[in-house]
């Protein structure tokens, strides 16, 4: 009997500091966003550990129908190369931070079984295990969205769903560009092209 959770049952509590990620180096793609949230979900299920692991089949059943380890390797490379920064304000305290999405990843094949292992940067792991302020995200919604920008917008809007005003923060479109596209390089200097393409 399969005890793995269905897509409907997977909900990760993402710390608010990790929502609206502004990549400073590297690029966050659709696959990277989906895999990152799944890894965070598994990490929360396991609690505080130095290294987390799952069978490749358990991971891939929630991400894609492909069992291609090359796809996973590319996602891990992107997560390793992507440096992110955030700002967090709380009463009289303000915090700025920078880290990678993951600190380590491995794909281990022994005989007929393949396992993936990953480690999270300590700051992300600490916040993930005991988030004071978090946003609940479901894999079911992720699987229905077809672009990285739509997932990013879903995550940002989910953060504000409990806000009394029910609206997101107001920022210039150039603030939104790297957060929605996952690309730190501005692809256009005109809003009309950003609106059309993203």
């Amino acid at each position: 009997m399969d005890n793995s959770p269905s897509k409907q049952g997977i909900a990760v509590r993402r710390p608010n500091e990790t929502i609206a990620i502004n990549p400073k180096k590297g690029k966050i793609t659709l696959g990277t966003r989906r895999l990152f949230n799944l890894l965070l979900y598994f990490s929360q299920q396991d609690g505080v550990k130095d290294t987390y692991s799952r069978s490749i089949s358990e991971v891939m059943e929630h991400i894609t129908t492909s069992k291609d380890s090359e796809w996973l390797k590319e996602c891990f490379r992107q997560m390793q190369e992507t440096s992110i920064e955030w700002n967090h304000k709380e009463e009289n305290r303000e915090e700025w931070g920078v880290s990678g999405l993951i600190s380590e990843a491995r794909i281990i094949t022994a005989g007929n079984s393949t396992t993936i292992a990953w480690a999270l940067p300590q700051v992300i792991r600490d916040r993930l295990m005991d988030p004071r302020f978090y946003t609940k995200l479901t894999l079911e919604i992720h699987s229905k969205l077809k672009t990285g920008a739509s997932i990013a917008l879903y995550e940002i809007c989910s953060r504000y769903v409990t806000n009394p005003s029910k609206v997101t923060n107001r920022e210039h479109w150039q603030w939104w560009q790297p957060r929605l596209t996952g690309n730190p390089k501005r692809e256009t200097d005109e809003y009309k092209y950003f609106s059309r393409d993203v």
Side-chain angles (χ1 to χ4, degrees):
M1 181 172 186
D2 184 11
N3 291 325
S4 64
S6 68
K7 288 182 181 179
Q8 289 180 327
I10 293 183
V12 63
R13 294 177 305 141
R14 280 268 301 271
N16 284 349
E17 301 94 323
T18 67
I19 302 292
I21 293 173
N22 183 11
K24 292 300 180 183
K25 181 183 171 190
K27 187 171 182 178
I28 304 171
T29 64
L30 171 67
T32 303
R33 288 181 193 277
R34 286 183 175 163
L35 182 59
F36 182 62
N37 278 314
L38 184 62
L39 297 181
L40 293 183
Y41 168 76
F42 288 140
S43 300
Q44 278 182 334
Q45 299 307 301
D46 292 354
V48 177
K49 295 171 84 174
D50 290 335
T51 304
Y52 301 91
S53 66
R54 285 293 188 280
S55 70
I56 194 169
S57 59
E58 186 176 358
V59 172
M60 295 304 257
E61 76 179 68
H62 295 290
I63 298 295
T64 180
T65 56
S66 169
K67 302 289 187 249
D68 186 0
S69 63
E70 288 305 315
W71 179 87
L72 265 179
K73 288 177 186 177
E74 184 55 32
C75 286
F76 282 138
R77 285 184 196 104
Q78 289 171 352
M79 284 191 243
Q80 185 71 37
E81 294 167 359
T82 301
S83 64
I84 57 168
E85 69 176 55
W86 64 84
N87 291 296
H88 179 69
K89 294 180 184 178
E90 181 182 325
E91 296 175 8
N92 61 348
R93 184 172 184 259
E94 184 173 339
E95 181 180 344
W96 174 88
V98 64
S99 80
L101 291 174
I102 58 172
S103 56
E104 179 187 1
R106 287 177 278 150
I107 299 176
I108 305 149
T109 302
N112 291 332
S113 71
T114 302
T115 303
I116 66 165
W118 68 95
L120 299 172
Q122 184 175 347
V123 66
I124 290 178
R125 187 188 66 193
D126 291 348
R127 293 232 164 76
L128 183 68
M129 295 308 153
D130 187 25
R132 287 188 64 200
F133 302 101
Y134 64 87
T135 299
K136 186 176 177 181
L137 304 171
T138 64
L139 185 63
E140 181 185 21
I141 300 293
H142 271 226
S143 66
K144 292 178 181 178
L145 300 173
K146 303 299 180 199
T147 66
S150 62
I151 289 177
L153 191 58
Y154 159 66
E155 292 175 355
I156 292 168
C157 291
S158 294
R159 178 179 177 183
Y160 288 90
V161 78
T162 57
N163 188 322
S165 69
K166 303 286 189 212
V167 295
T168 64
N169 57 326
R170 181 181 295 263
E171 297 287 351
H172 192 273
W173 72 268
Q174 292 173 337
W175 179 92
W176 289 90
Q177 189 274 331
R179 288 159 176 87
L180 294 182
T181 64
N183 188 354
K185 296 176 183 162
R186 189 177 304 153
E187 296 170 1
T188 180
D189 287 326
E190 293 189 53
Y191 172 76
K192 64 182 178 181
Y193 299 120
F194 169 71
S195 179
R196 179 197 68 197
D197 296 340
V198 178

